[in-house]
Amino acid sequence: MSAVYIHTTVLKQLFGMSAKSVDMYIADSSGPYRKPSPNSNVETHNRIEFLTHENLLKGLSGPGLLPALTRFKALLTKELNALEAGDEWLQLPDLMQFFKDHITPPVLEALYGPTLLSANPTFIHDIWVYDRAVQDLARRLPRFWIPAAYRIRDKVLSSVKRWHALARSHFDLSKIFPDGDGDSYWGSELIRSRQKLLLGVDNLDHDSVASADLGLMWASFTSLIPLSMMATLEIFRDSNLLSRLRDSLQDTVQHTPELDVDMKRLEQKSLLLSVYAETVRRLLTVYITRCAPDHDIKIDEWLLPKNEIMMCNTYPAHMDENVWNTKDGARPLDKFWAERFLVYPNDPLSGPLRKNAPNLTAVALNKEARDTEEPHFSLDCLQGSFIPYGGKITLVAHQRRMLALIT
């Protein structure tokens, strides 16, 4: 199955891509995998879904993400140090606004470089106004009906085009940072490579690439920052949880001027991982949209006809009491429970799954029987029940950045 339908809809409606360029996405019947679909005759340079999938896989997972994370940590530390917080507690009216103002810039600069923001001083404010307008744009109402939504879309798109023009004019290979990835104009190898592959597609021009980059940019923060804020809020609501997390992270954070965070150790902290997963399970709902471009597809008792669309809402799966552990109702699924994803070897009622859940197998039970008294983070047998972000690549990238933010 293909995700081309949803991509083409949002590229045109939300990000302002021309119909001519969108048609190239629609015409790509080759699929997202290295081996093209059998019935496809799309030329290699026009395999947009596969090429962008590979580009994101390389740039947002494994070693490709590490330089961007390193830059992000340094930029976040610089941003927070500039606040000059004193010894007195200061009450702020809106925690989410604090995250928008002080977390969005490091997130964007780490991937897209400083020129994006220096060339567009109001971009942080504008992109969040645009975020509020996305729901109106998604309704596909005409411009005269929702003029403010179209105006802010046009403004942020113009900002991206201004950034692109400056980067094209000033970048050369000597501008790449010593880490071999970052630079002051395009920001990262991910974006530099993305420019080349998208401009290599027939009928895609600078304007259409700007629309595509606006889409990537919006996706890179629109769930990450609110979810990080909510995880932080839940942690500080519970003094015991806050104390336990601080103790567990002592060997992960070095209190140097740069506030260095060891990401490898961070990703092994079971309680923090459980907080992350529970926040995502409870608060993030997405629609996974697919179509059958080549032939009819049978899904259990359902038939998805060729070229028809199916949508799957992740909320029912994340709130299914027949699958998830609620401690016999003591930990309802609509309430935050920091330890929902923790398995305690000596507690048969711990872990994310009900012990009579249909997903649970003997294999999973054996995995939980480990020779340690320490709890461990577990996603065993949650396939089809835990579907954050709707995709594995996005999950890896968001997990690493969100863990860094929470810490």
Side-chain angles (χ1 to χ4, degrees):
M1 290 192 290
S2 172
V4 166
Y5 171 80
I6 189 64
H7 292 164
T8 55
T9 300
V10 299
L11 283 170
K12 180 180 179 180
Q13 196 63 33
L14 303 189
F15 310 128
M17 185 177 286
S18 69
K20 182 179 179 181
S21 297
V22 167
D23 285 345
M24 295 305 299
Y25 284 81
I26 297 173
D28 179 15
S29 59
S30 64
Y33 306 110
R34 184 170 297 276
K35 184 178 180 180
S37 301
N39 299 324
S40 174
N41 58 0
V42 175
E43 295 183 73
T44 301
H45 69 282
N46 287 332
R47 296 192 61 204
I48 309 177
E49 189 173 11
F50 165 70
L51 292 172
T52 53
H53 180 275
E54 285 289 290
N55 174 249
L56 292 174
L57 179 63
K58 183 179 179 181
L60 295 180
S61 64
L65 186 61
L66 291 179
L69 273 175
T70 301
R71 293 193 298 274
F72 168 71
K73 289 185 291 183
L75 290 165
L76 179 60
T77 302
K78 180 180 178 181
E79 180 77 21
L80 296 180
N81 286 342
L83 296 176
E84 298 181 351
D87 297 329
E88 299 287 331
W89 280 101
L90 177 65
Q91 186 170 343
L92 298 175
D94 188 342
L95 182 60
M96 184 63 211
Q97 191 61 50
F98 177 88
F99 271 68
K100 287 180 179 180
D101 293 342
H102 300 292
I103 309 301
T104 312
V107 169
L108 292 180
E109 186 173 336
L111 276 181
Y112 309 102
T115 301
L116 168 67
L117 300 182
S118 63
N120 302 289
T122 64
F123 190 77
I124 298 300
H125 171 267
D126 295 340
I127 199 72
W128 281 108
V129 175
Y130 166 77
D131 180 66
R132 294 197 299 271
V134 162
Q135 288 189 356
D136 286 337
L137 292 168
R139 295 186 176 98
R140 296 190 285 186
L141 297 171
R143 183 179 285 265
F144 73 83
W145 206 295
I146 48 170
Y150 280 96
R151 279 198 301 270
I152 192 61
R153 188 192 73 177
D154 294 345
K155 184 177 182 182
V156 294
L157 188 54
S158 294
S159 297
V160 174
K161 292 177 182 178
R162 184 180 301 112
W163 160 51
H164 279 185
L166 287 169
R168 286 194 299 270
S169 299
H170 293 88
F171 173 79
D172 60 59
L173 293 177
S174 68
K175 302 296 194 301
I176 297 177
F177 295 161
D179 65 9
D181 179 84
D183 75 82
S184 295
Y185 294 100
W186 293 116
S188 61
E189 173 59 25
L190 168 67
I191 303 304
R192 293 194 297 271
S193 298
R194 180 178 167 85
Q195 289 287 315
K196 293 177 183 178
L197 72 88
L198 288 176
L199 288 172
V201 176
D202 295 344
N203 294 331
L204 262 64
D205 55 16
H206 292 311
D207 286 349
S208 55
V209 174
S211 294
D213 273 1
L214 173 59
L216 179 63
M217 203 176 292
W218 178 72
S220 67
F221 74 85
T222 186
S223 61
L224 170 71
I225 291 177
L227 287 171
S228 300
M229 185 277 292
M230 286 303 301
T232 303
L233 183 62
E234 293 291 356
I235 291 168
F236 276 85
R237 277 176 171 168
D238 186 336
S239 59
N240 180 260
L241 174 61
L242 176 62
S243 177
R244 291 170 60 197
L245 278 171
R246 283 177 170 170
D247 288 344
S248 72
L249 297 174
Q250 287 298 319
D251 63 346
T252 303
V253 180
Q254 296 183 20
H255 295 279
T256 62
E258 290 76 27
L259 196 64
D260 189 29
V261 179
D262 187 331
M263 288 303 300
K264 288 186 177 179
R265 287 188 177 181
L266 194 68
E267 291 172 355
Q268 297 172 359
K269 299 299 182 180
S270 294
L271 181 56
L272 183 64
L273 287 169
S274 185
V275 168
Y276 158 79
E278 175 69 351
T279 303
V280 171
R281 179 203 65 79
R282 190 172 70 94
L283 297 177
L284 183 63
T285 297
V286 298
Y287 281 92
I288 303 172
T289 307
R290 296 291 185 269
C291 66
D294 299 321
H295 52 79
D296 298 349
I297 294 178
K298 188 78 162 41
I299 305 173
D300 291 334
E301 72 271 23
W302 302 96
L303 180 70
L304 179 63
K306 179 181 177 180
N307 291 328
E308 293 297 326
I309 308 300
M310 65 167 284
M311 299 183 75
C312 175
N313 186 331
T314 60
Y315 182 85
H318 289 180
M319 295 290 176
D320 188 350
E321 293 186 354
N322 294 316
V323 173
W324 292 92
N325 184 6
T326 65
K327 285 281 187 175
D328 293 328
R331 298 292 185 175
L333 293 173
D334 61 345
K335 303 296 182 183
F336 177 83
W337 179 27
E339 300 189 22
R340 197 177 305 273
F341 288 80
L342 293 184
V343 174
Y344 287 81
N346 297 325
D347 182 0
L349 297 180
S350 64
L353 286 170
R354 291 182 54 167
K355 294 315 164 192
N356 59 348
N359 309 46
L360 197 59
T361 66
V363 175
L365 289 171
N366 289 335
K367 285 182 180 179
E368 294 174 2
R370 303 186 179 183
D371 297 329
T372 176
E373 294 184 0
E374 294 297 318
H376 63 269
F377 175 72
S378 176
L379 295 176
D380 291 347
C381 296
L382 287 176
Q383 184 176 6
S385 295
F386 186 48
I387 325 168
Y389 310 107
K392 186 176 181 181
I393 295 174
T394 316
L395 171 61
V396 172
H398 273 261
Q399 174 176 308
R400 291 186 170 188
R401 284 182 289 173
M402 187 168 163
L403 291 178
L405 274 175
I406 298 171
T407 305

